[in-house]
Amino acid sequence: MADQQSDRELGPDMVRIAGVGGQPAEATLHVCVDGVEVAVEPGTTLLEAARGAGAFVPTLCNDDRLAPYGSCRVCLVRVDGARGPVASCVTPCTDGMRVSTRDPGTVRAARSVLELMVSQLPERALDVPAERSELVRVCEHFGVWANDFGTAYGSARGFDFSHPYVKLDRDLCIACGRCVRMCDEVQATFALTLASRGYATLVVPGSGGTWATSDCVACGGCVSSCPSGALSEPGFLDLRPVSGTTTTTCGYCGVGCTLQVHTRDDAVVAVTPALDGPVNRGHACVKGRFAHGFARHRERLTTPLLRRGGRGSPLEPVSWGEALGFLADRLGRIRATFGPDAIAMICSSRATNEENYLAQKFMRAGIGTSNIDNCSRLCHAPSAAGLVASLGLSGGTNSMEDMEQADCFLLAGTNTTEAHPVVGARIKQAVLRGARLVVVDPRRIELADFADVHLRGRPGSNVAVFNGLAHVLVEEGLVDEVFLKERADGWDELRSLLADYPPERVEELSGVPVDELRRAALLYGRAARPAIVYGLGITEHMHGTDGVRTLANLAILTGHVGTPQGCGVNPLRGQNNVQGASDMGSLPDLLPGYQKVVDDAARGRFEATWGVGLPARPGMRIPEMFDAAISGRLKALYVFGEDIMSTDPDTGHVQAALEACELVVSQEIFLSRTAASADVVLPGASFLEKDGTFCNFDRRFQRVRPALPPPGEARTDFDVILAVSDALGIDVGIRTPAEAMRECASLAPLYAGISHERLDREGALHWPCRSVDAPGEPTLYLEGFATASGRAQLAAKDYLPPGEEPDAAYPYVLITGRRLEHYNAGTMTLRTPNRDLVPGEWLEMAPDDARRLGVHDGDKVEVISRRGSVAVPARPTPRASSGEVFLSFHFPEAPSNVLTSRVVDTVTSCPEYKVTAVQVRPL
């Protein structure tokens, strides 16, 4: 605060209240509430001041996630000098105000307002448990009881239970508007409105019709904000109390939302977003909020399975003892006969940090090989390689809090509102507040509708587009020459290359119009705090690492990375722990904390602690594992929490690799396509049943806590790997997730200050966190880049064409990606009512292409590549550009990876999922 007063100088009965955002104010105001003086900043409401003074003021239209509204009038207080009671939630403090929350006349007025409100409600409004109904709590506060409720409308307004998750009891609606404002101000979907007038006013879908047919995206914000129980969810329609509530971290995408899991009778009743969640702050999406029914689905694996008769025989339920004995015998024989490098493991980006740490330790110290990889190979390996080369560390440069301060977003290759809905909603909010938005994507994604400029380049043209943007930055004098001189290398070489990328040439290479490219560059280059946010549309290319590096060039050229004024370069991670799996060393060339296997000093530290020599050369990447299996060099493949038969490219090649192995182990929660091809299947646990940590997209370690026990004989993945180690006679030296995190912290300087105990005590921590006293580093590189020179490295990378381009035989480009309602291979979401929301896959194609082929909405088409074919309904849509089609990879009945190629990024072996040449044939 500007006056720099300490709390002691305020006096013993005074409390300081921060204003909006906790930012320093020009002056401090002094307000007296019920005899208690509080110091507040300008803009503070009387409601906030009263809370700071310890006074309870009831509200019904107020939600701290929303702008003040002032409609319900139950928060009335008396202010000396005012003509009458004032609504505390919308009345700003002024210096010297004297406020009473207990004035009898004002209390009577507020009670009268409440009585009038409830006189139109049925008595059953009081049946909702007080912990779920603010209305009930406010009635208890004022002493308003059942005989105050009326029957004017009875049950005439009825119910709308059409939606699988959002249930509306119209008779309980008090027309407070909170649900509408949550949809507008937080989710920015604008799906709801208040209809009618007077006492008949209630919430309805803005598009008319039922909730199920509305534009609702089922984020649950309306349900979480409803004060009366008018909006609820299936689990809370049962009014019995829950038996337990567990705070944990979402196991879907990499945003890292904090959730509260409510349980009863060994099952999940409901999941609600935590209001104090550091990333989501009381918000969630349809998956994290509602798609929890898989946890107790009848198809969960609850016992080990084994092919007693070898390949061709059925998988049979067996005891843990038999499964582990078989596994130990076969792995032991393969290691003894062919050596440790005949064995490989694919770790899990869905599992905890501790499980991945244990898995890579088991392979390196126990089996004796570095043949370890995880699904980041298939998505963000180019991010790791590109960001390390350009800036020094394998993670996004800024926190979500930093990005919220951005005045311009450059979104590249990320369909954020579908793949990372909470971040997408926050970006929409920022744009509605005035931030500028540039979208780089061949599809017209939802955020393109909010954009100032949409650069709709051809798939595979990213490097040309980013070089073109950089050319304009140089041409317009928007390069920070001082920053480049003091903190970056490679400027002369890059400047020379950029001369070859004028907008006119970039238009020829990419299809992006000259004027749009120039406008986008000016928006980014002139912004005070621009943020680059990108996704798999940048990385999943033959030249994905080059795409990351040329994108990072833009931030370096303008001095908007590693400075307080910059919001940096930030990849959005697809799976919940894709960042953490790599952090923990589930990679063939890197130990935990990104320490190189070939670094003798780093390897020596692990050898000293683990008490065993470690492989001194990198192991195989995932594509190399498949090739080695087919060639006979790899004999055993242990797949841990991944369905490679669904998610990896060229499914036929993956199947051939599994068939060539002598032993395939699958550790899973359902009988996935990969598990169905395995020799041994070990039943694991879902994120709702685990203890440990995840690391989200902005490098934030957060706790994961078990809300349920694993079903049947299933075990946590940590315990499964321990059991396999014990069966092989391998002492991994750690027995609990907390011990694993402590050991990792002792060996990886980036995580030295992180422990379960500290996270439980303090909350989330960003890495680097180099000591137990360090607060973590939400913003990277403020004191220097982490490259060998300590300077950022600009990259002069020429545009090169994708690995597979359309031709006369295969004239369309297939792009694959995600849809909002489903997740990865559909293992979890397809076993929830999310399947009711989106029951199957369809092919997006441009309307002019559909007309040429004579295809109408819903017509079945066959999509054919050089590797296979898929039959799906077609959906003409302006989201697709001419010559381009789109499929997700969620549905087993539409396995899009039958089509994709084995072309990989030249640096990291990340597959080129975003460019596959196909033909489309009507059926």
Side-chain angles (χ1 to χ4, degrees), residues 413 440-444 454-459 462 815 879-881 884:
V440 183
D441 201 295
R443 298 171 69 217
R444 188 165 183 83
H454 178 197
L455 303 184
R456 207 167 183 176
R458 286 188 286 270
N462 292 327
I815 305 166
R879 294 182 71 171
S881 295
E884 298 166 12

Side-chain angles (χ1 to χ4, degrees), residues 487-777:
R487 301 192 63 187
D489 294 328
W491 175 216
D492 290 340
E493 184 182 3
L494 177 60
R495 180 163 42 194
S496 176
L497 177 133
L498 293 180
D500 294 331
Y501 287 89
E504 293 75 15
R505 182 181 178 226
V506 172
E507 181 173 9
E508 294 174 3
L509 295 172
S510 68
V512 172
V514 169
D515 291 345
E516 292 182 7
L517 186 81
R518 288 189 181 280
R519 188 173 175 219
L522 293 176
L523 284 171
Y524 178 81
R526 290 173 176 170
R529 289 181 58 85
I532 293 173
V533 181
Y534 72 93
L536 304 186
I538 303 306
T539 58
E540 290 180 341
H541 291 276
M542 184 177 179
H543 306 290
T545 301
D546 290 353
V548 173
R549 296 213 64 189
T550 50
L551 186 56
N553 282 348
L554 303 178
I556 299 169
L557 286 170
T558 55
H560 286 132
V561 61
T563 64
Q565 294 75 38
C567 295
V569 186
N570 305 283
L572 292 174
R573 308 294 185 164
Q575 295 197 57
N576 55 298
N577 203 35
V578 71
Q579 178 72 57
S582 296
D583 292 347
M584 293 297 108
S586 295
L587 294 166
D589 57 336
L590 296 172
L591 294 158
Y594 301 98
Q595 300 171 87
K596 294 181 179 179
V597 165
V598 297
D599 183 332
D600 292 340
R603 197 175 64 254
R605 287 194 296 273
F606 285 85
E607 290 174 334
T609 297
W610 292 352
V612 64
L614 300 178
R617 66 179 187 277
M620 288 185 271
R621 298 170 173 177
I622 290 174
E624 295 166 340
M625 293 177 188
F626 299 153
D627 292 342
I630 291 171
S631 70
R633 292 179 292 117
L634 185 69
K635 303 295 182 180
L637 182 60
Y638 193 140
V639 184
F640 159 38
E642 295 290 344
D643 185 9
I644 58 175
M645 281 285 290
S646 296
T647 59
D648 288 50
D650 191 357
T651 303
H653 185 68
V654 177
Q655 184 173 357
L658 295 181
E659 291 173 350
C661 287
E662 290 187 18
L663 175 67
V664 175
V665 184
S666 176
Q667 193 168 307
E668 256 294 359
I669 62 174
F670 291 103
L671 192 66
S672 65
R673 294 174 68 193
T674 303
S677 302
D679 301 289
V680 185
V681 180
L682 304 176
S686 76
F687 77 94
L688 294 166
E689 300 147 6
K690 292 186 175 184
D691 178 40
T693 58
F694 293 152
C695 189
N696 78 333
F697 81 98
D698 67 357
R699 299 171 285 105
R700 195 181 311 235
F701 272 76
Q702 299 183 100
R703 285 285 274 121
V704 179
R705 300 178 179 90
L708 299 170
E713 296 179 38
R715 301 179 181 181
T716 68
D717 296 298
F718 193 93
D719 288 340
V720 172
I721 297 168
L722 275 181
V724 172
S725 302
D726 291 344
L728 283 161
I730 297 169
D731 181 7
V732 291
I734 45 180
R735 307 303 295 183
T736 68
E739 289 176 8
M741 190 67 248
R742 278 196 294 271
E743 182 176 282
C744 178
S746 72
L747 292 168
L750 288 177
Y751 323 127
I754 297 174
S755 66
H756 285 199
E757 296 80 6
R758 188 176 177 194
L759 291 169
D760 286 337
R761 186 174 63 250
E762 300 178 25
L765 290 166
H766 294 84
W767 69 258
C769 184
R770 303 179 192 274
S771 73
V772 294
D773 300 320
E777 297 179 27

Side-chain angles (χ1 to χ4, degrees), residues 827-884:
T827 304
M828 298 188 291
T829 53
L830 291 178
R831 292 176 171 91
T832 72
N834 281 37
R835 183 133 201 181
D836 298 333
L837 295 172
V838 177
E841 183 52 28
W842 63 90
L843 181 76
E844 290 183 11
M845 61 189 311
D848 58 340
D849 289 334
R851 282 192 295 271
R852 252 191 317 272
L853 294 172
V855 171
H856 301 92
D857 190 18
D859 289 353
K860 207 74 173 285
V861 297
E862 186 177 21
V863 187
I864 307 165
S865 76
R866 292 178 172 87
R867 289 153 294 279
S869 65
V870 172
V872 288
R875 182 173 296 176
T877 171
R879 294 182 71 171
S881 295
S882 182
E884 298 166 12

Side-chain angles (χ1 to χ4, degrees), residues 279-576:
V279 181
N280 58 312
R281 294 186 302 204
H283 195 205
C285 78
V286 61
K287 295 184 285 289
R289 181 72 162 83
F290 294 118
H292 49 74
F294 71 89
R296 288 297 181 261
H297 194 275
R298 64 183 182 280
E299 294 177 359
R300 276 292 298 270
L301 293 172
T302 59
T303 186
L305 304 176
L306 177 64
R307 292 188 199 279
R308 284 196 176 104
R311 294 283 168 84
S313 66
L315 285 165
E316 303 175 51
V318 297
S319 68
W320 273 101
E322 184 175 356
L324 293 170
F326 175 88
L327 184 54
D329 177 70
R330 294 288 293 274
L331 279 176
R333 183 177 59 78
I334 289 171
R335 183 172 57 168
T337 305
F338 301 103
D341 287 337
I343 302 170
M345 175 181 274
I346 298 176
C347 294
S348 178
S349 295
R350 284 157 46 194
T352 65
N353 291 315
E354 295 76 9
E355 289 165 340
N356 280 285
Y357 178 84
L358 179 63
Q360 61 84 34
K361 183 178 183 181
F362 162 74
M363 289 297 290
R364 286 191 165 105
I367 299 297
T369 181
S370 285
N371 289 340
I372 313 147
D373 209 349
N374 74 85
C375 90
S376 69
R377 180 68 52 207
L378 312 180
C379 55
H380 273 292
S383 287
L387 293 176
V388 166
S390 292
L391 307 170
L393 291 174
S394 179
T397 61
N398 290 70
S399 68
M400 187 66 234
E401 291 84 349
D402 281 352
M403 285 188 276
E404 285 207 309
Q405 304 303 314
D407 59 354
C408 178
F409 291 91
L410 173 56
L411 294 187
T414 166
N415 187 4
T416 323
T417 55
E418 296 205 36
H420 304 89
V422 169
V423 173
R426 299 269 277 278
I427 291 172
K428 284 197 286 185
Q429 294 165 31
V431 172
L432 292 171
R433 292 193 302 265
R436 312 309 292 270
L437 176 61
V438 175
V439 169
V440 183
D441 201 295
R443 298 171 69 217
R444 188 165 183 83
I445 60 173
E446 180 189 2
L447 281 166
D449 296 335
F450 291 75
D452 295 279
V453 185
H454 178 197
L455 303 184
R456 207 167 183 176
R458 286 188 286 270
S461 65
N462 292 327
V463 171
V465 172
F466 300 149
N467 281 344
L469 291 171
H471 176 102
V472 176
L473 292 176
V474 175
E475 183 179 71
E476 295 291 333
L478 296 172
V479 170
D480 189 333
E481 297 277 1
V482 174
F483 182 89
L484 295 179
K485 180 179 180 180
E486 295 179 352
R487 301 192 63 187
D489 294 328
W491 175 216
D492 290 340
E493 184 182 3
L494 177 60
R495 180 163 42 194
S496 176
L497 177 133
L498 293 180
D500 294 331
Y501 287 89
E504 293 75 15
R505 182 181 178 226
V506 172
E507 181 173 9
E508 294 174 3
L509 295 172
S510 68
V512 172
V514 169
D515 291 345
E516 292 182 7
L517 186 81
R518 288 189 181 280
R519 188 173 175 219
L522 293 176
L523 284 171
Y524 178 81
R526 290 173 176 170
R529 289 181 58 85
I532 293 173
V533 181
Y534 72 93
L536 304 186
I538 303 306
T539 58
E540 290 180 341
H541 291 276
M542 184 177 179
H543 306 290
T545 301
D546 290 353
V548 173
R549 296 213 64 189
T550 50
L551 186 56
N553 282 348
L554 303 178
I556 299 169
L557 286 170
T558 55
H560 286 132
V561 61
T563 64
Q565 294 75 38
C567 295
V569 186
N570 305 283
L572 292 174
R573 308 294 185 164
Q575 295 197 57
N576 55 298

